[in-house]
Amino acid sequence: MDKILEVKNVTKIFGKKRKQALEMVQAGKSKTEILEKTGCTVGVYDASFDVKEGEIFVIMGLSGSGKSTLVRLINRLINPTDGSILIDNQDIAKMNKEELRHIRRHSVNMVFQKFGLFPHKTILENTEYGLEVRGIEKAERQRLAEQALDNSSLLAFKDQYPDQLSGGMQQRVGLARALANNPDILLMDEAFSALDPLIRKEMQDELLDLQEKVHKTIIFITHDLNEALRIGDRIALMKDGKIVQIGSGEEILTNPANDFVSEFVEDVDRSKVLTAQNIMIKPITTNVDIDGPKVALKRMDTEEVSMLLATNRQRKLLGVLTADAAFKANMRQHSLVDYIDTGIRTVQKDTLLEDILPLIHDSGAPIAVLDQERLVGVLIKGRVIEALTKQGIESTE
Amino acid sequence: MENFLQNSLPVANLVDKSIDWVTENLAGFFRAVQSSGSTIMDFVSDTLSFIHPLILLVIITLLAFIISEKKKSFTILTALGLLYIYNQGLWSGMINTFTLVLLASIISIIIGVPLGIWMAKSERAKQIINPILDFMQTMPAFVYLIPAVAFFGIGMVPGVFASVIFALPPTVRFTNLGIREIPAELIEAAESFGSTDKQKLIKVELPLAKNTIMAGVNQTIMLALSMVVTASMIGAPGLGNGVLSALQHAEIGAGFVSGLALVVLAIIIDRFTQFANKPKKQMQKMSPWRKFLAPVLLVSFLLTGFTNLFLQAQTEQKDQITLAYVEWDSEVASTNVLAEVLKSQGYDVSLVPLDNAVAWKAVAEGNADASVSAWLPTTHQGQYAQYSNNLDDLGSNMDGTKLGLAVPAYMNIKSIAELNNQAQRQIIGIEPGAGIMARTEEALDSYSNLSNWTLTTSSTGAMITSLEQALRNREEIVITAWMPHWMFAKYDLVLLDDPNNIFGGEESIHTIARKGLEADHKEAYDIINAFSWTPTDLQSVMLAISEGQSPSQAAKEWIELNANKVDEWLK
């Protein structure tokens, strides 16, 4: 695999007294201190990394960490203060307008967080924009644009305007617009952050499927660890304009470079004793005082599970309702109460992990976590085992 | 420092000098602009006048119907409003006003949009242009009239020039704003695909800023409309003339009629621009021929225009004579009489009401052919000194005029020297450019008893109105007055004695003509030269006008009654 992109010691400082700010950064002063002293903002400081052809390279960090600035340095929407950015061994920091335009038209394209679609152009016109500015003639560029839309199954919408589409569709258009150009590198700036979680997951899967087909080099920006772990071949973690660690998801989780990283990936301190509360997940319940069998079945369908925890109005746990039981109740038009399996194990929320282990070991069924009588969560095997290994756990939502 | 506080800096002088320099050095350029501008404007207004008013009315109403997507209320309002204008005989005024607004707006867009784009692209340009725009918007519009006359003479062209200066800022500001408020992400998107600056501008920025720009253009059109009244002071024809002359004669009704016509025109233009600014999506749902509306209209308009030109070329071209005058009752009467006589001889006469100083300037610079309203030797001595070398003084057309200060008879005063504390020590004057105002200022300096009196400038009409109010309430009032005037026939007034002889003795009204008129239009020159009559004649025409006859009607009647006198002029 060749390196397609090399970023060497790139620094970007916004403001007037750049020299002074640069000295302060080198002296290790904090961002706020520099801002107070010089009025300059350090966007990116001394970033170096390289990206191989066909890999998905994720840049992750909290907001204000400089990741968006970094991605804009790669296609020079922002000019670097210092350092070099090599695309196919050509330094774009030194290019004139003409050469830079050529790079933007042919090798690097971008997908934006808020989609960046032109509201006054139809979906097709948006998709062919990159080809249009290249001066490709109409019939040809429409063919390519329609092909790109067809790949993301949006061809039916080609004469609609962006505001007539949902967020997910708009982002697919943004992606199709970038891909219609057939660039070597695809920059994605928090491309899925503006979408709701469900669509977001879908889009991530789609992107991975697409990557199977097109093998693009993708620089992906996100502030979401899950997203990074799902799609990133390698991840660079940024803080205050500096890259603090680069590695695969596994490496970052197992050998965090410093406290910031370990905090960021929420590594669990083993010395802290875990209780059921720390590792439970949200239960999927049915309130049998209100719900009938049809509602219960519908919920299983949407949540993609085969059993529900049955409670009453006061959230007091009654037992488990399996799909079979709900189905039978539905056939016979009975209420759910008689079909609940009461044989479910329960633990209190402050039960220690070591006491839970034997329980979970010999049963595939979930264990309900109670606060006195009330149901607050549920334990599943995978989560408990994960908690025992030395890797991070995300906080329960 | 002491010196600086006591002597004012010669700012006015400096501005005069630089304007003179510009006028002299760019004379060729200004002349070219004026002639081409006049040609274009005449073409537009002649074409619109060529179409019969009722046909045009139907066309505009139909357009309103199409453009407003079959909104009944707007269509009906358009039809009724235009019918009202037609019925009041203001049609040609409306056409002229429309032409002026149209051209001022087009020029504002041509200049303003690029300026706005430049402002949006460059911080420095913004820093330079913004204060200039502030300056342009806060400077009273009257100030623009002065250089406009200096550069382009009188008529439609300087009117457009002044309107453009006055109306330009919103277009510039809104264009700048519209481009600046495009979301940064869209600009980044355009750039990230390698658009050139031009592509970015044409494909992304302008289409996205279009609505904001159109809002600015709409503002510009409205400002240009409001400038129409002001521009009529320097001879811009149109509805503004009606408003201005109503102001000078204090005719509330006439002012309202012309004002309402302007309102109707403003509403129609405003709605048209708003409806034309519909987003593209709705355009697609609309009848396909709305897209072709503008080109079809333009082509048919041009065809009509050229047909008109062709027809005009077939008919004998009349010689055109331009008479400049000031909206004083005496001058309205005499100018109309002369105009009717010239018309009877087959001339195409246009009457241009101007401010006094501008009228002199217009004749001196050859923008107007003649004027019969030069009060000499005293009243207009300032203007005479300034322009006499550049025009022909054809001598007196009426003797026995007098100027001075007048009071109602019940104040029991006979002489200026007797004034002390009457009428709140205030003299009600007329337009600031009038000769009598300069004389009165002198009188304030010359008479010791007037040392703490003030002279209030207003207009002839406003002065008459104040006088009538004072008479009604038997209050004290001192006015600037001149004879012949119908107020002396109508009210019991006393023209005060002038022991210091500031206002001059008896004066005459002279006829002035531009150099070269004799060579160009010998016949007309002879008639203008021969024109002379008596204060009695004048007073009878003035009374007829003040009692509600239209000036041209009153002039025609007088000509019928005094055929012998008129025949004398035509020899």
Side-chain angles (χ1 to χ4, degrees):
Chain A
M1 291 245 263
D2 300 335
K3 287 182 208 165
I4 188 165
L5 170 73
E6 271 185 280
V7 173
K8 290 187 194 160
N9 315 96
V10 165
T11 298
K12 173 68 193 182
I13 295 171
F14 297 97
K16 289 209 166 70
K17 301 181 184 167
R18 283 193 286 273
K19 249 205 160 92
Q20 197 185 338
L22 197 59
E23 283 162 16
M24 289 179 78
V25 180
Q26 282 157 349
K29 298 271 193 291
S30 78
K31 254 182 131 165
T32 21
E33 205 177 333
I34 295 170
L35 184 63
E36 275 170 16
K37 269 262 168 51
T38 63
C40 290
T41 320
V42 179
V44 173
Y45 176 65
D46 198 23
S48 298
F49 59 91
D50 46 53
V51 181
K52 296 183 195 69
E53 208 165 330
E55 99 176 307
I56 300 185
F57 186 85
V58 177
I59 300 171
M60 189 171 71
L62 300 168
S63 60
S65 59
K67 52 192 193 305
S68 281
T69 307
L70 184 57
V71 79
R72 280 164 176 71
L73 286 164
I74 295 170
N75 63 355
R76 237 182 84 184
L77 284 175
I78 296 175
N79 288 315
T81 312
D82 193 19
S84 58
I85 298 148
L86 303 174
I87 294 177
D88 285 336
N89 297 318
Q90 301 177 57
D91 187 355
I92 70 159
K94 293 191 175 61
M95 283 184 180
N96 65 21
K97 266 190 158 176
E98 202 54 50
E99 293 166 321
L100 180 65
R101 199 175 297 136
H102 188 270
I103 288 279
R104 286 179 181 171
R105 285 179 177 184
H106 299 274
S107 355
V108 184
N109 284 144
M110 191 160 176
V111 181
F112 293 85
Q113 180 177 0
K114 299 198 182 72
F115 326 135
L117 297 182
F118 303 125
H120 62 290
K121 290 180 180 285
T122 61
I123 300 305
L124 183 66
E125 287 166 344
N126 264 294
T127 312
E128 68 181 15
Y129 183 83
L131 303 159
E132 187 183 343
V133 296
R134 270 158 66 172
I136 290 171
E137 62 175 64
K138 199 165 175 131
E140 173 65 4
R141 69 175 189 240
Q142 287 202 337
R143 189 184 65 80
L144 289 167
E146 281 177 11
Q147 203 180 337
L149 285 172
D150 202 21
N151 286 342
S152 32
S153 49
L154 281 165
L155 196 51
F157 300 94
K158 71 179 173 112
D159 293 328
Q160 301 261 295
Y161 283 86
D163 60 8
Q164 294 167 283
L165 267 57
S166 69
M169 284 176 171
Q170 288 190 51
Q171 195 49 295
R172 283 195 197 98
V173 175
L175 193 56
R177 176 174 69 177
L179 289 171
N181 248 345
N182 199 13
D184 310 326
I185 302 178
L186 196 57
L187 307 176
M188 301 182 77
D189 179 22
E190 303 223 20
F192 306 150
S193 305
L195 307 171
D196 70 59
L198 273 180
I199 298 185
R200 207 163 155 171
K201 226 172 131 212
E202 249 173 63
M203 292 290 296
Q204 290 163 3
D205 293 341
E206 258 177 55
L207 184 69
L208 291 171
D209 291 349
L210 192 76
Q211 180 65 346
E212 291 285 294
K213 274 189 274 182
V214 294
H215 298 295
K216 295 275 175 229
T217 311
I218 300 176
I219 315 278
F220 195 98
I221 308 280
T222 181
H223 60 252
D224 175 351
L225 180 68
N226 286 339
E227 193 160 73
L229 293 173
R230 280 198 70 188
I231 64 173
D233 296 330
R234 282 192 304 144
I235 299 171
L237 189 62
M238 288 185 78
K239 175 181 188 266
D240 287 350
K242 302 184 185 82
I243 294 182
V244 286
Q245 189 171 6
I246 300 180
S248 67
E250 195 66 26
E251 284 166 10
I252 284 188
L253 291 178
T254 44
N255 304 316
N258 59 20
D259 291 353
F260 170 76
V261 180
S262 41
E263 224 166 285
F264 191 88
V265 300
E266 290 177 338
D267 192 2
V268 178
D269 188 348
R270 297 282 298 154
S271 64
K272 199 172 78 183
V273 183
L274 292 179
T275 60
Q277 195 166 242
N278 299 120
I279 47 177
M280 70 190 186
I281 56 171
K282 214 172 139 193
I284 300 164
T285 59
T286 175
N287 175 352
V288 292
D289 291 352
I290 301 169
D291 299 345
K294 275 209 169 60
V295 174
L297 285 166
K298 177 94 184 115
R299 182 156 313 150
M300 289 180 200
D301 191 36
T302 52
E303 301 282 1
E304 297 170 347
V305 292
S306 58
M307 57 172 68
L308 298 172
L309 293 177
T311 64
N312 68 2
R313 238 185 260 267
Q314 289 74 38
R315 285 192 70 91
K316 181 171 175 292
L317 180 71
L318 303 174
V320 177
L321 178 72
T322 60
D324 288 347
F327 190 70
K328 277 180 192 148
N330 186 30
M331 293 287 289
R332 298 172 193 163
Q333 297 286 319
H334 289 182
S335 88
L336 289 170
V337 182
D338 313 332
Y339 292 85
I340 296 170
D341 175 6
T342 51
I344 179 171
R345 301 175 195 216
T346 61
V347 294
Q348 284 298 318
K349 66 175 182 165
D350 47 10
T351 315
L352 290 178
L353 185 58
E354 53 191 3
D355 302 334
I356 298 170
L357 273 175
L359 295 176
I360 202 126
H361 206 65
D362 50 12
S363 118
I367 300 175
V369 182
L370 302 184
D371 179 4
Q372 265 101 37
E373 292 275 280
R374 288 179 66 243
L375 175 73
V376 289
V378 65
L379 294 173
I380 52 174
K381 208 168 181 172
R383 291 282 291 187
V384 181
I385 289 167
E386 197 181 331
L388 285 173
T389 58
K390 289 185 183 181
Q391 282 163 18
I393 298 173
E394 293 127 53
S395 60
T396 53
E397 281 168 50
Chain B
M1 195 68 213
E2 203 64 2
N3 257 348
F4 174 77
L5 290 176
Q6 274 163 11
N7 304 324
S8 53
L9 293 170
V11 177
N13 199 344
L14 205 73
V15 174
D16 283 342
K17 285 261 186 331
S18 43
I19 293 283
D20 285 346
W21 186 88
V22 170
T23 313
E24 269 164 45
N25 285 281
L26 297 178
F29 166 74
F30 288 137
R31 236 195 315 273
V33 171
Q34 191 186 355
S35 63
S36 55
S38 303
T39 311
I40 295 170
M41 288 176 217
D42 288 346
F43 179 79
V44 176
S45 55
D46 286 353
T47 306
L48 288 173
S49 315
F50 171 70
I51 307 168
H52 189 276
L54 290 176
I55 295 174
L56 195 55
L57 192 147
V58 170
I59 293 173
I60 296 171
T61 309
L62 274 175
L63 282 182
F65 186 68
I66 296 164
I67 276 193
S68 68
E69 288 156 19
K70 304 176 184 174
K71 274 205 178 66
K72 279 202 187 68
S73 55
F74 175 63
T75 312
I76 292 167
L77 179 98
T78 305
L80 285 180
L82 291 173
L83 268 174
Y84 158 82
I85 292 174
Y86 178 59
N87 166 278
Q88 294 292 324
L90 296 171
W91 193 262
S92 67
M94 183 198 73
I95 300 268
N96 282 321
T97 294
F98 176 74
T99 307
L100 192 145
V101 170
L102 180 79
L103 284 152
S105 308
I106 289 174
I107 293 170
S108 295
I109 293 167
I110 290 172
I111 298 173
V113 172
L115 266 184
I117 292 170
W118 188 37
M119 250 174 104
K121 297 279 171 195
S122 145
E123 279 305 314
R124 176 162 300 175
K126 188 180 159 198
Q127 282 163 356
I128 294 170
I129 296 172
N130 243 336
I132 296 176
L133 292 183
D134 292 337
F135 183 88
M136 279 162 78
Q137 278 187 299
T138 46
M139 183 65 99
F142 286 95
V143 177
Y144 303 136
L145 301 182
I146 311 162
V149 174
F151 296 155
F152 303 110
I154 53 163
M156 191 88 103
V157 178
V160 168
F161 171 81
S163 302
V164 166
I165 293 183
F166 182 68
L168 185 66
T171 296
V172 181
R173 283 185 204 278
F174 278 65
T175 304
N176 168 41
L177 181 74
I179 291 178
R180 278 177 186 266
E181 70 183 2
I182 296 171
E185 202 171 48
L186 294 179
I187 301 295
E188 282 187 332
E191 280 178 348
S192 71
F193 284 100
S195 317
T196 58
D197 288 347
K198 192 175 141 195
Q199 283 171 326
K200 189 170 70 171
L201 183 70
I202 288 171
K203 292 180 194 292
V204 179
E205 288 172 330
L206 286 182
L208 285 173
K210 184 181 142 231
N211 285 357
T212 314
I213 294 174
M214 281 303 287
V217 168
N218 184 285
Q219 291 277 311
T220 287
I221 293 172
M222 291 301 128
L223 283 177
L225 253 176
S226 68
M227 219 14 217
V228 166
V229 176
T230 319
S232 65
M233 297 175 75
I234 50 171
L239 295 172
N241 275 338
V243 177
L244 194 68
S245 100
L247 169 73
Q248 281 165 325
H249 299 152
E251 293 162 333
I252 299 169
F256 182 80
V257 167
S258 293
L260 190 60
L262 269 171
V263 171
V264 168
L265 185 63
I267 290 175
I268 293 174
I269 294 179
D270 177 64
R271 294 297 183 279
F272 262 75
T273 46
Q274 282 185 14
F275 286 128
N277 185 26
K278 278 273 152 69
K280 198 171 161 186
K281 256 167 277 184
Q282 293 169 332
M283 290 283 281
Q284 286 189 323
K285 286 177 201 153
M286 260 177 334
S287 54
W289 63 296
R290 197 184 131 160
K291 283 188 194 172
F292 300 112
L293 206 57
V296 165
L297 275 179
L298 195 66
V299 169
S300 50
F301 175 81
L302 287 176
L303 279 176
T304 317
F306 288 121
T307 315
N308 178 25
L309 281 184
F310 177 75
L311 288 176
Q312 276 188 345
Q314 301 299 311
T315 56
E316 190 72 33
Q317 266 297 6
K318 285 187 199 165
D319 283 345
Q320 181 150 27
I321 297 290
T322 308
L323 295 179
Y325 69 104
V326 191
E327 283 272 7
W328 298 318
D329 296 327
S330 52
E331 312 315 330
V332 171
S334 57
T335 310
N336 268 286
V337 168
L338 179 59
E340 290 305 327
V341 173
L342 284 170
K343 278 181 194 167
S344 71
Q345 296 305 301
Y347 284 98
D348 179 9
V349 186
S350 59
L351 301 183
V352 189
L354 296 166
D355 186 71
N356 181 42
V358 179
W360 277 86
K361 196 179 166 80
V363 175
E365 291 180 353
N367 292 312
D369 290 309
S371 168
V372 291
S373 45
W375 291 54
L376 293 172
T378 318
T379 315
H380 294 169
Q381 68 181 27
Q383 281 81 14
Y384 188 78
Q386 198 174 346
Y387 298 111
S388 64
N389 294 334
N390 302 331
L391 47 78
D392 291 334
D393 178 3
L394 307 184
S396 150
N397 61 45
M398 180 188 301
D399 294 325
T401 67
K402 262 177 95 167
L403 312 180
L405 301 180
V407 295
Y410 54 72
M411 278 173 68
N412 293 324
I413 303 178
K414 290 280 173 285
S415 159
I416 298 180
E418 290 173 38
L419 290 170
N420 43 39
N421 286 332
Q422 298 88 340
Q424 289 137 7
R425 292 199 290 281
Q426 172 175 299
I427 300 169
I428 307 291
I430 54 169
E431 294 82 6
I436 192 168
M437 298 295 280
R439 298 283 80 73
T440 310
E441 291 285 357
E442 273 176 54
L444 291 183
D445 292 339
S446 149
Y447 287 93
S448 54
N449 57 325
L450 296 185
S451 60
N452 53 1
W453 280 57
T454 53
L455 170 63
T456 310
T457 55
S458 63
S459 72
T460 312
M463 181 269 284
I464 299 278
T465 311
S466 310
L467 172 69
E468 285 170 345
Q469 269 186 328
L471 288 167
R472 212 172 304 134
N473 305 329
R474 286 188 71 82
E475 284 165 354
E476 297 181 331
I477 186 166
V478 181
I479 55 166
T480 58
W482 57 97
M483 285 177 155
H485 194 283
W486 54 262
M487 62 181 164
F488 287 98
K490 207 165 173 176
Y491 306 116
D492 193 2
L493 300 178
V494 177
L495 195 63
L496 296 177
D497 289 341
D498 178 19
N500 295 9
N501 201 12
I502 299 294
F503 290 97
E506 289 211 344
E507 280 197 297
S508 337
I509 306 181
H510 283 229
T511 304
I512 51 174
R514 68 175 172 90
K515 293 257 189 231
L517 179 65
E518 189 171 10
D520 296 346
H521 304 286
K522 179 77 178 86
E523 231 179 301
Y525 176 85
D526 288 339
I527 297 171
I528 293 167
N529 197 0
F531 170 74
S532 74
W533 57 345
T534 65
T536 327
D537 294 326
L538 175 58
Q539 213 120 351
S540 68
V541 181
M542 276 166 97
L543 253 179
I545 296 172
S546 78
E547 280 162 6
Q549 271 196 330
S550 79
S552 62
Q553 193 55 39
K556 276 184 190 141
E557 278 183 19
W558 182 88
I559 290 171
E560 271 173 37
L561 292 172
N562 297 276
N564 307 342
K565 203 169 259 191
V566 176
D567 286 342
E568 283 291 308
W569 303 343
L570 297 175
K571 270 180 190 165

